[in-house]
Amino acid sequence: MMSIKYKLPLAFLVIAFVTASSTTLFSILYFSRILNTEAQDSVEYLAETISQDNILQALVVLNIHNKMPSYLEELVNTKRLHHIVVTDIVGNELGSAGNISASSGFVQASYPIKKNNKFKFSMPGYQGDVPVAILTIGLSTERYDNITQQAVLNLSLIMLLCIICALILNYFLSRNIIGLEIQAEEANRNLLEKNSELEAFAHTVAHDLKNPINAIIGFAELGIEEMEEMQDDPRREILNKSFEIIIKSGKKSVEIIHSLLLLATVEKQHIQLDKIDMKTVITAVEGRLMPMIEQFQGKLTIPEQFPLVIGYADWIEEIWMNYLTNGLKYGGHPPLLEIGTTLKPNNFVEFWVKDNGRGMSVEETAKLFRQFSRLERDRQRNEGHGLGLSIVRRITNKLGGNAGVESVQGEGSRFYFTLPLASQSSH
C-alpha cells in the first residue's frame, strides 16, 4: 500500500495540474468565443454600412457594372476586407474583389442593397427602398487568431508556472511529510519501548511486593489469634482493630498487585484458546464471591445454559469477577443481578450482567474502561483502584471481542462483553 508520504504530495500535484489545465482550457475557450463574437459583430456592422454606400448603390441601381470591380477593389483596400461580392436578387454575380477563392480564415455577412429615394426624380416609375442586390463581405480573422494564439501562449506559460510552483511545493511538502513520518515512527518506537519498560516494571514491582504483603497479612492474622489469649489486656481492642485494618489494607494491596500483574501480562502472554463452558466459569466465580454476596444480601439470576464460545477460562473468570463485584457494590439495596446472553452478528455471543443500581451518566460511562480511572462515588467511598474494567477491555480485545456498558440514570446499568461463538469443528 502506498505510504502517506507519497499519497499527499501526489494528490496535491494532481490537483494542481488539473486545476491549472482546466483553468487554461476554460480561459482559451472563453476568449475564443469572445473574439469570434466580436469578429461576427464587426463584419455584420460593416456589411450594413457598406450596403448604404451611395456610390455602390448608384453603380448597382444604374447598372454601371464595368465600374463596379474597381470600386469594390477600392472598398477592400480602404475597409481592410478579406473579400466582397455583389450579386443580384437571383444570385448572379455583379462584381467581386479580394480573396474570394479562400474557404477559411474569415467571417462573413450579407446585407441587401436597396434603392435610395434620391433617384426617384431622375427615373420615371422609380420605387425606393426596394432590394436590388445582395452584398456579401468577408472579414479576415487573422488579427483575432493572433490574439487567440497569444492568449493561448500566455495561459500556457501561466499553467507551466503553476505546475512548476506545484512541483516546488510538492518537494517541500514531501520532505516535511517524510520528516514528520520519521518523527512519528521514532515517537512510536520510543512509546513502545516505554510501555514495555513500564509493563516490565509493573510486573517486577508487583511480583516483588506480593510476598512481603502476604507475610504482613499472615503476621496480622497471627496477632489476632494471639490477642484471643490476652483477655485482660487493655490494649486488646485497639490492637484487634489495628490488625483488622492491616489485614484489610493488605488484601486490597494484594488485589491491586494481582490486577497489575494481569494488566502487564495480558498483551504478551501466549494462551491456548479453547471452548468455554460458561456455566462452570460463573459457578466458580459465584463461589469466590459468596462472602460478598452474603455481605450485601445480593441475588444472582443465572441461566441454566450458555452458548459455547472460544476463549481462555482464567481470563474470562476475571471478567465476571469484575462485573459481578461492581454489581454487588453499586447495585440496588439489595443488589439484584441478572446474567444473560445475546447472539450477535458475525458469529459472536454477547454476555451481560444487568443490575438494579442508580445508573450512570454518559460522562461517567465514557470514563469507566480507562486505566486508573475511578468515578466520584469510588473516591468518596475510597474503593476501587481504576484497573478492573480496563483489564476487562484488554482481555476481551485479546480474545477477539469487545466490552462496554449501557446505562440509564435511575434504571441501572448493563455491562457486557463479546466472544466468538464456538463452531462444531473448533478444538
Side-chain angles (χ1 to χ4, degrees):
M1 184 178 292
M2 187 182 294
S3 172
I4 188 173
K5 66 183 178 183
Y6 300 114
K7 285 183 179 178
L8 285 178
L10 181 61
F12 176 78
L13 191 60
V14 170
I15 291 172
F17 177 78
V18 171
T19 302
S21 58
S22 60
T23 302
T24 302
L25 179 61
F26 173 78
S27 300
I28 290 172
L29 293 175
Y30 179 73
F31 281 121
S32 179
R33 182 177 179 181
I34 289 177
L35 292 174
N36 287 334
T37 302
E38 182 182 344
Q40 191 63 44
D41 291 342
S42 297
V43 75
E44 289 176 359
Y45 174 76
L46 280 173
E48 182 180 0
T49 302
I50 294 173
S51 69
Q52 297 173 4
D53 182 85
N54 291 331
I55 297 175
L56 181 60
Q57 286 184 347
L59 292 175
V60 173
V61 172
L62 300 176
N63 294 322
I64 308 175
H65 297 165
N66 59 331
K67 299 289 186 180
M68 190 171 294
S70 60
Y71 186 68
L72 294 179
E73 191 68 38
E74 182 182 344
L75 286 175
V76 167
N77 294 329
T78 57
K79 301 294 184 180
R80 297 181 180 179
L81 303 178
H82 181 270
H83 64 269
I84 184 170
V85 178
V86 178
T87 61
D88 59 20
I89 297 301
V90 296
N92 297 317
E93 184 178 314
L94 302 179
S96 63
N99 189 6
I100 59 175
S101 61
S103 59
S104 61
F106 61 87
V107 290
Q108 68 178 17
S110 298
Y111 206 85
I113 299 176
K114 299 179 181 180
K115 290 181 180 180
N116 196 299
N117 287 332
K118 61 187 173 183
F119 297 107
K120 65 181 180 179
F121 296 108
S122 60
M123 300 179 65
Y126 180 86
Q127 294 181 351
D129 201 27
V130 175
V132 292
I134 301 297
L135 170 68
T136 300
I137 66 169
L139 189 64
S140 175
T141 59
E142 182 179 0
R143 182 171 68 91
Y144 300 102
D145 291 341
N146 291 337
I147 294 174
T148 302
Q149 291 174 3
Q150 188 63 40
V152 170
L153 178 61
N154 292 338
L155 290 170
S156 298
L157 291 174
I158 293 173
M159 184 182 75
L160 181 60
L161 182 62
C162 290
I163 293 175
I164 292 173
C165 291
L167 288 171
I168 295 172
L169 290 174
N170 178 67
Y171 168 75
F172 287 107
L173 182 62
S174 301
R175 191 172 67 175
N176 290 338
I177 289 175
I178 292 172
L180 290 173
E181 190 174 59
I182 292 173
Q183 293 177 13
E185 290 176 354
E186 182 69 21
N188 186 55
R189 185 163 52 251
N190 292 336
L191 183 61
L192 290 175
E193 291 176 359
K194 294 295 183 183
N195 283 340
S196 298
E197 292 173 1
L198 284 173
E199 288 179 356
F201 175 76
H203 186 277
T204 302
V205 170
H207 188 271
D208 291 345
L209 286 176
K210 197 170 185 180
N211 291 334
I213 291 176
N214 282 330
I216 292 172
I217 294 173
F219 281 118
E221 291 174 344
L222 182 61
I224 290 178
E225 292 177 2
E226 291 293 329
M227 292 304 298
E228 293 295 329
E229 300 176 0
M230 301 170 62
Q231 297 292 335
D232 299 329
D233 194 320
R235 299 172 300 173
R236 180 174 178 272
E237 185 177 352
I238 296 176
L239 290 172
N240 271 336
K241 288 183 178 179
S242 299
F243 286 137
E244 287 174 359
I245 292 172
I246 292 172
I247 292 171
K248 183 178 180 180
S249 300
K251 288 183 176 179
K252 185 175 181 179
S253 299
V254 170
E255 181 184 344
I256 295 173
I257 290 170
H258 174 74
S259 297
L260 284 171
L261 285 171
L262 187 58
L263 190 67
T265 56
V266 164
E267 291 293 340
K268 296 183 177 179
Q269 185 175 347
H270 297 286
I271 55 174
Q272 179 65 42
L273 299 180
D274 203 352
K275 290 183 179 180
I276 301 298
D277 180 2
M278 198 61 73
K279 181 72 173 180
T280 302
V281 173
I282 293 178
T283 300
V285 173
E286 186 180 17
R288 290 171 61 184
L289 290 176
M290 190 54 65
M292 191 174 185
I293 295 172
E294 293 175 354
Q295 176 188 350
F296 287 93
Q297 298 180 350
K299 181 180 178 181
L300 273 62
T301 302
I302 305 172
E304 290 297 325
Q305 293 183 335
F306 290 88
L308 283 177
V309 292
I310 296 297
Y312 185 59
D314 292 346
W315 285 358
I316 296 172
E317 188 171 322
E318 291 298 324
I319 296 175
W320 284 116
M321 279 292 295
N322 274 286
Y323 278 180
L324 295 178
T325 299
N326 287 339
L328 291 170
K329 286 181 180 179
Y330 308 115
H333 303 285
L336 304 177
L337 307 182
E338 179 187 358
I339 294 173
T341 61
T342 305
L343 291 178
K344 306 297 286 185
N346 300 322
N347 294 323
F348 273 82
V349 179
E350 181 182 85
F351 297 91
W352 48 266
V353 55
K354 184 176 181 182
D355 62 44
N356 61 332
R358 66 175 180 84
M360 293 174 287
S361 65
V362 176
E363 291 77 13
E364 288 177 319
T365 57
K367 300 177 182 177
L368 277 181
F369 288 85
R370 298 176 186 171
Q371 292 181 20
F372 306 106
S373 177
R374 295 193 300 167
L375 301 182
E376 186 61 31
R377 65 189 184 190
D378 296 332
R379 293 192 180 94
Q380 292 175 354
R381 296 164 61 173
N382 195 27
E383 293 183 349
H385 42 71
L387 288 174
L389 293 179
S390 64
I391 291 173
V392 168
R393 175 156 288 176
R394 187 169 289 195
I395 287 173
T396 52
N397 290 344
K398 181 76 171 181
L399 296 178
N402 61 9
V405 61
E406 297 169 353
S407 187
V408 178
Q409 287 185 315
E411 298 182 11
S413 303
R414 178 179 173 273
F415 288 83
Y416 64 87
F417 66 95
T418 62
L419 291 173
L421 184 66
S423 64
Q424 297 297 324
S425 58
S426 297
H427 296 285

